[in-house]
């Protein structure tokens, strides 16, 4: 099975958009700047392991209202 560069690029772009949305959703509860959290999640997910590590950091972070 061959995977061409166009398909790989589309999959990475789709993953980046999904991760940006998830990071924005978590950033609304966990940070003071949810837009920055979403943008950073989208940028870091261009390399998928970095995006997943950032998502784990956001999940494990305490909520803003609980501090």
């Amino acid at each position: 099975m061959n995977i061409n560069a166009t398909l790989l690029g589309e999959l990475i772009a789709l993953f980046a958009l999904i991760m940006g949305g998830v990071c924005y959703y978590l950033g609304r509860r966990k940070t003071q700047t949810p837009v920055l959290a979403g943008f950073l999640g989208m940028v870091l997910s261009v390399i998928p392991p970095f995006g997943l590590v950032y998502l784990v950091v956001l999940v494990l972070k305490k909520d803003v209202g609980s501090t």
Side-chain angles (χ1 to χ4, degrees):
M1 180 174 133
N2 293 332
I3 297 177
N4 59 9
T6 303
L7 179 62
L8 185 63
E10 289 174 354
L11 289 175
I12 289 175
L14 180 66
F15 183 70
L17 288 175
I18 291 170
M19 287 293 289
V22 170
C23 288
Y24 173 76
Y25 175 74
L26 284 172
R28 286 191 313 185
R29 291 188 338 191
K30 309 270 184 177
T31 65
Q32 296 288 334
T33 56
V35 175
L36 182 63
F39 179 73
L40 190 58
M42 187 173 66
V43 169
L44 286 175
S45 67
V46 171
I47 302 173
F50 291 159
L52 292 175
V53 167
Y54 182 67
L55 184 67
V56 168
V57 167
L58 277 179
V59 167
L60 295 177
K61 188 174 179 178
K62 293 187 185 239
D63 288 348
V64 173
S66 68
T67 57

